[in-house]
């Protein structure tokens, strides 16, 4: 199960990606925004990421105007590794190397076609483990020191 969410800046792209997920038969839950009205991206990041840390959802797709604000907010939540991407290579590598569990994109930055490609890479690529696990463990250690 995937959780998906956006503020007003990412709303239109979120709706496009929802259609893409439906076409591919990927199950998702949407934590809003539901109408494109102005909302604060930290509220959406929190609602979405809580579903990941609770185990209700495996991964998240978050959108704001740039993808930056919502990724900063998501990364404040323990256990979240969110990456803000605007290319498919990074969306794939952040799974292989960083074991990212949230992909953030900017509705004012990337096109629908590119976002679909990034989502596919992100959802279909496995974490490689090995030397990368050691680095993830160090990120977790930093998180636990806070
Ligand atoms: C909202 O106007 C905008 O600031 C937000 O969507 C996002 O781009 C912040 O990083």
């Amino acid at each position: 199960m995937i959780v998906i969410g956006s503020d007003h800046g990412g709303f239109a792209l979120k709706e496009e990606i929802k259609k893409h997920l439906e076409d591919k038969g990927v199950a998702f839950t949407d934590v809003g925004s539901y109408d494109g009205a102005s909302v604060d991206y930290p509220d959406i990041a929190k609602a979405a990421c809580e579903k990941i840390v609770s185990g209700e959802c495996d991964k998240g797709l978050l959108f704001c105007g740039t993808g930056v604000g919502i990724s900063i907010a998501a990364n404040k939540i323990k256990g979240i590794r969110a990456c803000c991407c605007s290319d498919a290579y990074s969306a794939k590598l952040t799974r292989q190397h960083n074991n990212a569990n949230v992909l953030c994109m900017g509705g004012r930055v990337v096109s629908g076609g590119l976002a679909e490609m990034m989502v596919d890479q992100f959802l279909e690529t496995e974490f490689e483990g090995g030397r990368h696990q050691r680095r993830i463990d160090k990120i977790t250690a930093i998180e636990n020191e806070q």
Side-chain angles (χ1 to χ4, degrees):
M1 175 65 76
I2 302 301
V3 60
I4 189 164
S6 78
D7 74 354
H8 50 290
F11 177 74
L13 187 57
K14 171 173 71 76
E15 294 303 302
E16 278 192 63
I17 292 299
K18 278 167 63 177
K19 185 168 182 325
H20 179 64
L21 295 176
E22 281 163 3
D23 290 346
K24 289 179 69 96
V26 176
F28 64 86
T29 180
D30 184 358
V31 295
S33 150
Y34 301 115
D35 58 8
S38 183
V39 288
D40 298 334
Y41 58 80
D43 297 334
I44 300 294
K46 186 167 186 283
C49 292
E50 281 175 350
K51 291 191 180 292
I52 297 173
V53 294
S54 73
E56 189 184 330
C57 294
D58 312 304
K59 292 192 186 87
L61 303 172
L62 295 178
F63 306 84
C64 67
T66 57
V68 175
I70 206 157
S71 68
I72 292 172
N75 277 315
K76 297 296 179 193
I77 296 164
K78 210 170 182 175
I80 295 299
R81 288 177 300 279
C83 67
C84 177
C85 292
S86 51
D87 69 278
Y89 178 78
S90 299
K92 180 182 178 75
L93 268 285
T94 201
R95 287 289 310 129
Q96 287 182 336
H97 289 193
N98 315 126
N99 200 13
N101 48 13
V102 177
L103 175 65
C104 303
M105 287 163 282
R108 298 169 185 156
V109 179
V110 296
S111 67
L114 176 56
E116 287 179 13
M117 207 177 281
M118 288 194 287
V119 166
D120 291 347
Q121 293 289 344
F122 185 77
L123 296 182
E124 291 163 16
T125 304
E126 295 297 324
F127 177 51
E128 283 181 353
R131 68 189 189 282
H132 303 298
Q133 184 60 56
R134 181 178 71 245
R135 293 157 187 165
I136 301 305
D137 291 344
K138 289 188 177 186
I139 293 173
T140 304
I142 293 169
E143 197 171 56
N144 289 335
E145 283 167 12
Q146 304 309 302

